[in-house]
Amino acid sequence: MDEIIIGSIPLLIAFGVSLIRYKKLEPRWLRLFTYFLLATFLIQTVGYLYSALLKKSNHFIFNCYTLFEFEFLFVVFFKALGRKIFKNIVIFIALTFTLVYIYEVFIQGHFFIYSPFASNAGKFLTLLCCMLYLTELLMADEYVSFFRTPMFWIATGIMIAAVGDFLYLCFFDYIITNKLDPEGRVYGIITTSLSVIEYGFFTIGFLCKKTWIKNK
């Protein structure tokens, strides 16, 4: 319960800042984060209440969120990138993840069992998108002030959270089999810490007054 509350605070702060600065967020697609953060909070809250009140597994809720989360991030990186070849790579990445998700969750029958493989696939592919974005910043013909670019902070936050979660989930089956984290407390601490960092970086990004360099 404590992890849920602590993890929700930075999320709500990021949501509040994005809501306050909604009309000032540029480019306009950055405003999609306001709806994404609200949806994330609602889904996490519903997932927790479903499990706590009904005493049933909420894995299917978070399996659905996995698809929503990563497809949203792929759309964001598609819009953030300017080079056509990078955009095409993101499209390929999104299609690849969709196929992996369908196979793992529906064909393999993991809809009601949390699928670390699908989540890890999404995190790994999202990391590739982050690298593409940072590469484009470094290759820009114009001078780019990274620390005044909203998407730089957002991408960095996503990278940190994805790497941390990815490392834990790589050993998820081993941890569960050997009952190393039977109540999920370690995972809760990890995800809470990563949430604080990720949404903290989101907040900094939303507060940046200088907009990005427009696509060519």
Side-chain angles (χ1 to χ4, degrees), residues 183-197:
E183 297 181 358
R185 292 186 181 278
V186 174
Y187 184 59
I189 293 173
I190 292 174
T191 54
T192 299
S193 301
L194 293 174
S195 293
V196 171
I197 296 172

Side-chain angles (χ1 to χ4, degrees), residues 23-85:
K23 292 185 178 180
K24 296 181 180 180
L25 292 177
E26 291 292 344
R28 294 176 65 89
W29 50 260
L30 277 178
R31 301 173 188 179
L32 294 174
F33 275 99
T34 302
Y35 305 102
F36 171 72
L37 293 172
L38 177 60
T40 296
F41 173 73
L42 293 176
I43 292 172
Q44 289 181 352
T45 302
V46 169
Y48 171 76
L49 293 176
Y50 180 88
S51 178
L53 298 179
L54 301 180
K55 306 301 181 183
K56 294 182 179 181
S57 172
N58 57 11
H59 290 185
F60 75 96
I61 294 176
F62 290 101
N63 277 332
C64 292
Y65 176 71
T66 295
L67 181 64
F68 167 73
E69 176 187 17
F70 293 115
E71 294 296 355
F72 170 80
L73 293 178
F74 296 145
V75 169
V76 166
F77 281 106
F78 178 82
K79 290 182 173 296
L81 291 165
R83 296 173 184 269
K84 186 176 181 179
I85 186 172

Side-chain angles (χ1 to χ4, degrees), residues 86-175:
F86 287 175
K87 284 181 174 290
N88 289 337
I89 292 175
V90 172
I91 292 174
F92 176 76
I93 285 174
L95 291 175
T96 299
F97 172 73
T98 302
L99 293 175
V100 169
Y101 179 88
I102 291 173
Y103 175 78
E104 178 69 10
V105 174
F106 294 108
I107 298 178
Q108 291 286 49
H110 288 166
F111 183 74
F112 292 102
I113 303 173
Y114 183 68
S115 174
F117 182 81
S119 181
N120 255 356
K123 294 180 189 305
F124 176 75
L125 293 172
T126 300
L127 283 173
L128 294 182
C129 291
C130 290
M131 297 305 297
L132 287 176
Y133 176 75
L134 294 178
T135 298
E136 184 167 272
L137 285 184
L138 291 171
M139 295 173 60
D141 294 330
E142 308 90 340
Y143 169 75
V144 179
S145 177
F146 287 12
F147 300 117
R148 297 182 65 188
T149 304
M151 193 58 195
F152 168 77
W153 290 102
I154 292 172
T156 302
I158 292 171
M159 285 182 65
I160 294 173
V163 169
D165 216 18
F166 180 83
L167 292 176
Y168 181 92
L169 291 178
C170 280
F171 300 98
F172 184 79
D173 290 335
Y174 178 81
I175 292 172

